[in-house]
Amino acid sequence: MHRKKIQQSLWGYFFIGPVFIGLLIFYIYPFIQNFLNSFYDINNFNRAKFTGIKNYTTIIADPEFWSTAYNTFIYVIISVPIGMAVSTFLAALLNSSIRGKSLYRTLYFLPAVTMPAAIAMVWKWIFNGQYGLLNQILAVAGMSPRNWLSEPSTALYMIIIVAIWSSAGYNMVILLAGMQGISRSYYEAARIDGAGVFTQFFHITLPLLTPSLFFVMLTSMISGFQVFDTIYMMVGKASIAYESTQSLVMMFYRYAFDYGKKGYASALSVFIFLIIMCITIVQLKLQKKWVNYD
């Protein structure tokens, strides 16, 4: 029996070996190396000079970091709740008895399988200040056109609209699966008691959907703090709206590849990791008060 247990353990390690090696090479080792680099001043020729916590103190005293963190938090605070509301609404519609549900599911899910660069280019054309589709519609309605992606007051909100549109389909599928997992007996009992559609939704669907809602909220917030491609493609570096739309990951990219300050960029990435980790821990603590796993 002891020899059989050893053989089973060896086979288990054999099967998880490729995954473990992949995690070690592509995730664990880069993370450790990046953390160590954050204590060095590394130039374009990869010459490293140990500076201790200087990179971290510089970040804390850097006004650009705080303004960029503000942009990122605004992006997350607006896009995540609205995106969840839109996804929940779409999932509830597709969970009802309507014709062509398969077609609607496919159409709503298409943005999730479309390349972010292609999505950004299409929306960049829609928001174009000279010949964009949005301005043409406003002109028909008698309203003045605007440079949506060039004005600091509107650029970030246009990007938030794109984020909500592109993530709604993916989150909708997750929430729809959660809705379909709710037993129909609850709804039958509620109808017998005279409960209407809205009463059933707010007192049955939402409470029993909280595990799926929590998962969507958690993943949406993590991806929100890591937003890069949409902003990078839609707002150019020469734009006057660049500073008002720059995210933390974009700031990391600029310092690592444009300015060649790899040690400073590594410290930035550690800050991003700490922010995401702290918010995730808080969410895991708070979910015990509102997530219903029964």
Side-chain angles (χ1 to χ4, degrees):
M1 291 295 295
H2 181 67
R3 183 177 179 182
K4 188 176 181 180
K5 278 189 175 182
I6 294 176
Q7 290 178 346
Q8 291 176 347
S9 300
L10 290 176
W11 277 110
Y13 288 124
F14 174 78
F15 284 115
I16 68 172
V19 177
F20 177 76
I21 293 172
L23 290 174
L24 183 65
I25 295 175
F26 297 107
Y27 288 92
I28 300 175
Y29 173 75
F31 176 80
I32 296 174
Q33 185 64 43
N34 182 75
F35 178 73
L36 295 177
N37 288 342
S38 66
F39 297 101
Y40 289 83
D41 180 16
I42 306 174
N43 58 24
N44 290 327
F45 300 98
N46 288 329
R47 298 284 299 274
K49 178 183 177 182
F50 183 77
T51 57
I53 62 171
K54 181 181 178 181
N55 288 325
Y56 293 97
T57 57
T58 304
I59 289 175
I60 294 175
D62 189 359
E64 183 184 4
F65 169 76
W66 294 108
S67 62
T68 302
Y70 174 79
N71 295 337
T72 307
F73 273 96
I74 291 296
Y75 175 90
V76 172
I77 291 171
I78 296 177
S79 64
V80 172
I82 297 178
M84 289 179 61
V86 172
S87 301
T88 305
F89 175 74
L90 294 176
L93 287 179
L94 293 180
N95 194 41
S96 60
S97 299
I98 59 173
R99 298 179 61 183
K101 288 194 292 185
S102 299
L103 176 62
Y104 289 128
R105 290 175 188 174
T106 304
L107 292 176
Y108 289 134
F109 191 72
L110 276 179
V113 296
T114 305
M115 293 180 61
I119 293 174
M121 294 306 295
V122 170
W123 281 96
K124 187 176 182 180
W125 169 75
I126 293 175
F127 294 140
N128 188 275
Q130 297 179 350
Y131 48 84
L133 180 62
L134 180 58
N135 278 339
Q136 293 181 15
I137 295 174
L138 294 178
V140 173
M143 301 175 65
S144 301
R146 298 187 64 174
N147 294 319
W148 300 101
L149 294 176
S150 300
E151 297 181 11
S153 59
T154 59
L156 182 60
Y157 299 103
M158 298 301 104
I159 294 171
I160 290 173
I161 291 174
V162 178
I164 294 171
W165 178 84
S166 58
S167 63
Y170 176 79
N171 294 334
M172 177 204 70
V173 172
I174 297 174
L175 296 175
L176 180 60
M179 289 182 182
Q180 293 179 345
I182 299 174
S183 175
R184 306 307 301 177
S185 60
Y186 295 113
Y187 298 100
E188 293 172 0
R191 281 194 294 268
I192 293 173
D193 291 339
V197 175
F198 290 101
T199 303
Q200 293 177 31
F201 179 78
F202 286 105
H203 289 83
I204 298 176
T205 304
L206 279 184
L208 296 179
L209 192 64
T210 49
S212 300
L213 287 171
F214 173 70
F215 174 79
V216 169
M217 182 182 68
L218 190 64
T219 55
S220 297
M221 292 192 72
I222 292 174
S223 62
F225 280 103
Q226 295 176 338
V227 61
F228 171 77
D229 43 16
T230 305
I231 302 176
Y232 183 81
M233 294 294 297
M234 294 183 66
V235 182
K237 297 178 182 178
S239 175
I240 59 175
Y242 188 82
E243 291 184 3
S244 62
T245 58
Q246 179 178 241
S247 65
L248 288 171
V249 176
M250 288 188 66
M251 185 178 177
F252 158 77
Y253 176 85
R254 289 181 67 190
Y255 277 92
F257 299 101
D258 292 345
Y259 304 151
K261 297 181 179 180
K262 298 178 182 178
Y264 188 83
S266 298
L268 273 173
S269 66
V270 173
F271 262 104
I272 297 171
F273 167 76
L274 291 176
I275 291 172
I276 295 175
M277 184 182 68
C278 291
I279 292 176
T280 303
I281 292 174
V282 171
Q283 288 178 319
L284 291 173
K285 294 291 184 181
L286 295 178
Q287 59 97 16
K288 298 177 181 179
K289 297 183 178 181
W290 66 276
V291 179
N292 181 18
Y293 290 104
D294 295 335

